[in-house]
């Protein structure tokens, strides 16, 4: 298990982020300048609103300790490849989705350490493990920004080959995501069963709230339904794999999947139960 956590998990996550980078071009980063309102709404939702709503949900459900920290870790994670796929299936603005995912993934190098430090102080207090903020930022860079950057670079140098390889890379990334979720749950099965009645409803509430808010805020600001659907997906869908990685590699010290990873693992399953009905509704919208 130690080798799986210390070696397999970061490599798997790096590959997932690399596959995201292969699907990006420089235009995806520049596009935000030409569509600032929709992007700023989506970015605000993910960086500011999402952690605030998650914090409110944690308090409302009376969740404490490692599980509370785990939910805040999940709330700090960007959408990842999954949100881009869901946006495409929902007939949303895929270019906006990719732009948001790319930029928020870069911002997470700074936002994750801040949210993690706050959550540890608020929910763990004196029992909180020692967390080196600088080391956390460096780890975030190595498992997110660096592989994304390598993917973008290879896409630029070998455009035809990378475009051809992208579908295969996405399938492998999806399979790795599933393996990580299953491994995290299997390692904490007793903890999972014990806390599912509490964590499950809290995560469903969080996902529903964020998906609804993510849709109606852009609409109130006069954005199109297509943009609203995209912001909704980007706000509601988080990177559960990254959440598990942070929980185990940074917080747990790579000793094994622990209680901090439970919310991200449970979310990785519950997400589809909520998103699929939403997806069907969004596909019927003009």
């Amino acid at each position: 298990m130690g080798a799986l956590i210390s070696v397999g998990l970061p490599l798997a996550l790096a590959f997932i982020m690399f596959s995201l980078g292969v699907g990006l071009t420089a235009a995806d980063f520049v596009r935000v300048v030409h569509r600032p309102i929709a992007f700023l709404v989506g970015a605000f939702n993910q960086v500011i609103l999402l952690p605030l709503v998650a914090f409110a949900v944690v308090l409302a459900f009376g969740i404490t300790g490692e599980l509370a920290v785990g939910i805040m870790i999940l709330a700090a994670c960007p959408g990842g490849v999954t949100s881009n796929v869901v946006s495409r299936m929902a007939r949303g603005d895929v270019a906006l989705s990719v732009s948001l995912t790319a930029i928020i993934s870069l911002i997470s190098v700074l936002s994750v350490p801040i949210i993690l430090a706050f959550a540890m102080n608020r929910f763990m207090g004196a029992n909180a493990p020692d967390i080196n903020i600088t080391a956390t930022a460096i780890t975030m860079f190595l498992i997110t920004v660096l592989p994304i950057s390598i993917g973008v670079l290879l896409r630029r140098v070998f455009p035809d080959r990378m475009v051809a390889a992208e579908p295969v890379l996405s399938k492998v990334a999806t399979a790795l995501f599933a393996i990580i979720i299953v491994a995290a749950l299997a390692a904490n099965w007793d903890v999972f069963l014990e806390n599912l009645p509490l964590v499950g409803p809290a995560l469903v509430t969080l996902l529903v709230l964020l998906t609804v808010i993510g849709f109606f805020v852009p609409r109130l600001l006069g954005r199109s339904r297509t943009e609203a659907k995209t912001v909704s997906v980007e706000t509601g869908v988080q990177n559960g794999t990254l959440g598990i990685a942070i929980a185990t590699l940074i917080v747990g010290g790579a000793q094994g999947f622990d209680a901090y990873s439970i919310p991200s693992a449970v979310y990785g399953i519950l997400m589809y139960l909520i998103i699929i009905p939403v997806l069907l509704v969004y596909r019927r919208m003009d």
Side-chain angles (χ1 to χ4, degrees):
M1 178 63 75
L4 173 64
I5 300 300
S6 61
V7 179
L9 179 57
L11 288 178
L13 180 61
F15 182 86
I16 292 172
M17 303 310 289
F18 168 75
S19 69
L20 170 61
V22 168
L24 299 174
T25 65
D28 294 316
F29 296 90
V30 177
R31 190 179 291 111
V32 300
V33 177
H34 304 289
R35 310 173 68 177
I37 296 180
F39 174 81
L40 289 175
V41 171
F44 175 83
N45 283 2
Q46 288 197 48
V47 178
I48 306 297
L49 182 63
L50 202 163
L52 290 177
V53 173
F55 181 68
V57 168
V58 167
L59 294 181
F61 280 83
I63 301 174
T64 59
E66 293 94 336
L67 293 176
V69 174
I71 291 178
M72 294 306 297
I73 290 174
L74 175 66
C77 297
V81 180
T82 304
S83 65
N84 302 150
V85 174
V86 173
S87 291
R88 182 181 294 110
M89 296 178 66
R91 296 175 181 169
D93 189 327
V94 179
L96 174 61
S97 174
V98 171
S99 299
L100 280 168
T101 298
I103 300 298
I104 301 304
S105 294
L106 301 182
I107 294 175
S108 67
V109 173
L110 299 176
S111 61
V112 167
I114 293 173
I115 294 174
L116 178 58
F118 166 78
M120 280 294 181
N121 181 66
R122 176 62 176 77
F123 296 111
M124 298 296 294
N127 296 321
D130 293 332
I131 300 295
N132 187 314
I133 300 301
T134 301
T136 299
I138 293 173
T139 301
M140 288 298 301
F141 174 82
L142 293 176
I143 62 179
T144 58
V145 177
L146 183 59
I148 289 175
S149 301
I150 293 174
V152 172
L153 177 62
L154 290 179
R155 170 70 176 261
R156 183 175 180 82
V157 176
F158 307 105
D160 295 336
R161 293 182 181 180
M162 291 299 102
V163 170
E166 184 181 355
V168 177
L169 295 176
S170 296
K171 291 179 180 179
V172 174
T174 301
L176 290 173
F177 168 78
I179 291 172
I180 292 172
I181 295 295
V182 171
L185 288 177
N188 294 273
W189 188 247
D190 292 338
V191 179
F192 165 69
L193 292 179
E194 179 182 351
N195 292 281
L196 182 60
L198 178 62
V199 176
L203 291 175
V204 169
T205 300
L206 178 63
L207 181 53
V208 170
L209 284 175
L210 293 172
T211 302
V212 172
I213 293 173
F215 180 82
F216 284 104
V217 170
R219 291 295 288 162
L220 291 174
L221 294 176
R223 309 318 301 169
S224 67
R225 287 185 178 179
T226 301
E227 290 177 330
K229 288 190 292 184
T230 304
V231 172
S232 172
V233 170
E234 289 293 323
T235 304
V237 175
Q238 306 311 309
N239 190 338
T241 308
L242 180 58
I244 294 173
I246 295 172
T248 55
L249 298 177
I250 297 176
V251 181
Q255 298 302 311
F257 294 111
D258 51 29
Y260 294 104
S261 66
I262 286 293
S264 292
V266 173
Y267 173 87
I269 296 175
L270 294 180
M271 174 186 70
Y272 293 101
L273 301 180
I274 303 299
I275 286 298
I276 289 177
V278 172
L279 181 62
L280 296 176
V281 172
Y282 282 175
R283 285 181 63 84
R284 297 179 180 177
M285 291 184 178
D286 295 332

